[in-house]
Amino acid sequence: MSNEEEIYQEHILDHYEDPFHKGHCPCTTHAHEADNPLCGDVVRVELNIGDDGVIQDAYFDGDGCCISQASASMLMEEVQGKRLDDVKSFNAQDMLKLFGARLTPNRQKCCLLSWQVLQSAIYSPVNGSSESREGSQEESS
Amino acid sequence: MTTVPDVATFDPEIYRADFPILSTVLHGRVPLAYLDNAATTQRPRQVIDALVNTYEKHYANVHRGIHWLSDQSTDLYEEARENVRDFLGAETREEIIFTRGTTESINLIARSWGDWQVREGDEILLTEMEHHSNIVPWQQLSQRTGCRIRFLPITDEGEIELSALDTLLTERTKMVSLTAVSNVLGTVNPVEEITRRAHAAGALVTVDAAQAVPHQTVPLREWDADFVVFSGHKMLGPSGIGVLYGRAELLDAMPPFMGGGSMIQRVTLEGYEPADLPAKFEAGTPSIVPAIGLGTAINYLRNIGLEAIQAHEQRLTQRAHEVLAEVGGVQLLGPAQEKKAGIVSFVMDGIHAHDVAQILDRHGIAVRAGHHCAMPLHKRLRVSASTRASFYLYNTLEEVERIGEALHDLKHIFRRE
């Protein structure tokens, strides 16, 4: 089995076992959560988006298979400190490429769950910060 | 090879040769171990030949043409019905309705009997371990009529809490619909007792026997249920064929389900007159060849004997429990081995069912991972997903032992050992 075909390669398992920013974001301005009821994977993404349109902090929490959780960890690491414009243009293909290992269509869904949640989260200001967030999105768009 | 005694009395190798698909080699190196029989079974050469033979020599539409081929096709189709009747132990051929499967059978009951008999405030009693096919059609009936769905609770061990019948079974209960064998837990439910108590309360009983009929001689008379439903594809037959057994006088009184050809006596521009049983419930061209294939599958099962098959599955289940206990870090779902059928669902500590199935697949082992069409049950058991191995007559102890090897590999990959 080539390394590209190996789902359970070292760096993917590293993200699964020791994830980047798993837990709650200290100053959440935007958040979204979704699940894949077919497998039971759940991912929540919490973001702190600054007035300058930069993601100051990106955290995830969740439960599910190795692919769904490791990919969430990779994605948080990827978007930490990135501008919203860059995150918006980060598409599904980019996500699959970031994950690295080649996936069957069924398991691509696991990998793309956190990406979908992130893309929704940037449009989902949490209560209390909605005014400033909407403002910042207008500025950035 | 094994610690289980009496294995010599049943040799699955004899039958494996009949199943072409079982000789598949996966990933260029590992033999297939097909352990997803609760989802669907494989077909022996005899069933495949029956399908080909029918299409090549006997196929036409049934109950229609005044020609030789149509007579041939009709005879074979009705012979299959008679075979099902005899296999099940039903009294008359009118009680055997061919459907496309268990799901359609339950939908037929919920539509025909349900819309006819159920009113707002009435109750349908299910259990927490039902397959979605025995939940959603009743929820749809509830949307149409305003009836209430109630659920018999289960214990943490996955058995129905019978004491709950005292409060849940009332004069408002119109139907109790339950599975004979859980497709996730393998639990064998006390259908006889529940039917007796339901009937005493004035309710009818539907038994989802999709996981029972393929594996045991069902005690139709002792169950005394009003409806019994099952699928052909879970018992070596083709997909697209299923059975609804119903008491003749009840089926006779029920309004037709789907309308169309075959189910009518005559049609005028003003209306129609329904046909007699069983045609009344078989609108349109039926699954002719799949029904004939089901008849052949029944012959195949009869030749081996369901008692021998059941005993063999018990040995496989017992060995699976031993193997999983040896692996460690495995939570088994459902009751003790002696209380269940050949279905073994489990959860690995800290490893998701899809990752388990992915690694098992590398070892050539086909299992089901997820919620197995029983989301409410998984919620009740507080697990998001599980892995299920389910057995049939062609599975071997060696295949069961391969689960153990694969799980050790899984634990190694996930750095658990």
Side-chain angles (χ1 to χ4, degrees), chain B residues 44-330:
Chain B
R45 173 64 67 196
Q46 289 84 338
V47 170
I48 296 167
D49 285 349
L51 305 182
V52 173
N53 189 49
T54 306
Y55 279 124
E56 288 185 349
K57 295 179 185 146
H58 309 290
Y59 183 76
N61 213 328
V62 291
H63 301 300
R64 283 167 172 79
I66 308 296
H67 57 76
W68 186 83
L69 267 184
S70 180
D71 289 342
Q72 292 265 304
S73 205
T74 303
D75 285 351
L76 287 170
Y77 181 69
E78 290 305 322
E79 201 177 284
R81 191 193 308 278
E82 169 57 22
N83 212 350
V84 171
R85 183 205 65 74
D86 185 53
F87 184 69
L88 202 58
E91 279 177 29
T92 68
R93 62 181 283 278
E94 285 78 16
E95 295 179 319
I96 304 297
I97 312 295
F98 279 132
T99 64
R100 283 188 302 123
T102 303
T103 298
E104 185 178 298
S105 297
I106 298 174
N107 276 277
L108 190 162
I109 299 165
R111 281 274 175 183
S112 169
W113 173 86
D115 286 358
W116 173 48
Q117 287 292 317
V118 175
R119 299 285 172 270
E120 188 173 356
D122 288 345
E123 291 180 358
I124 306 292
L125 184 57
L126 311 177
T127 81
E128 286 182 333
M129 69 170 82
E130 297 309 314
H131 187 283
H132 295 163
S133 63
N134 195 24
I135 299 175
V136 180
W138 303 112
Q139 289 173 331
Q140 291 175 314
L141 176 66
S142 169
Q143 287 169 342
R144 295 195 298 275
T145 64
C147 72
R148 185 176 175 200
I149 317 273
R150 307 198 76 180
F151 291 90
L152 275 169
I154 60 166
T155 64
D156 288 338
E157 289 72 41
E159 294 181 77
I160 294 174
E161 281 195 39
L162 284 176
S163 59
L165 280 171
D166 299 339
T167 50
L168 287 174
L169 200 55
T170 70
E171 72 282 353
R172 289 186 299 278
T173 315
K174 290 290 176 293
M175 172 70 77
V176 178
S177 188
L178 80 158
T179 189
V181 173
S182 162
N183 72 308
V184 177
L185 306 166
T187 313
V188 180
N189 286 324
V191 173
E192 222 176 301
E193 182 176 351
I194 291 171
T195 307
R196 186 170 50 74
R197 294 191 55 179
H199 283 170
L204 298 189
V205 174
T206 296
V207 178
D208 170 0
Q211 302 292 349
V213 170
H215 306 278
Q216 62 174 100
T217 303
V218 300
L220 192 74
R221 215 145 288 179
E222 288 75 13
W223 276 359
D224 194 30
D226 302 281
F227 300 107
V228 175
V229 298
F230 58 97
S231 296
H233 71 96
K234 291 189 201 286
M235 50 190 294
L236 313 182
S239 56
I241 189 71
V243 172
L244 162 66
Y245 156 86
R247 283 194 292 110
E249 67 272 25
L250 192 56
L251 289 175
D252 202 40
M254 279 157 55
F257 169 44
M258 289 197 288
S262 290
M263 54 71 72
I264 43 86
Q265 199 77 266
R266 66 174 58 83
V267 179
T268 64
L269 294 179
E270 288 72 39
Y272 73 95
E273 197 180 309
D276 291 335
L277 293 171
K280 182 170 110 178
F281 289 107
E282 293 182 5
T285 295
S287 296
I288 301 167
V289 180
I292 294 165
L294 173 60
T296 309
I298 286 174
N299 290 340
Y300 187 90
L301 291 171
R302 255 205 258 254
N303 283 339
I304 301 173
L306 283 168
E307 282 70 22
I309 293 170
Q310 196 178 10
H312 175 63
E313 290 173 6
Q314 286 292 318
R315 280 190 290 271
L316 296 174
T317 305
Q318 185 186 339
R319 187 71 193 116
H321 278 230
E322 290 165 5
V323 164
L324 291 171
E326 184 275 323
V327 167
V330 177

Side-chain angles (χ1 to χ4, degrees), chain A residues 21-48:
Chain A
H21 278 194
K22 182 167 183 179
H24 289 290
C25 184
C27 301
T28 305
T29 61
H30 291 67
H32 189 66
E33 181 177 320
D35 65 350
N36 182 348
L38 281 178
C39 2
D41 296 339
V42 188
V43 168
R44 177 177 177 80
V45 167
E46 295 182 357
L47 304 171
N48 175 5

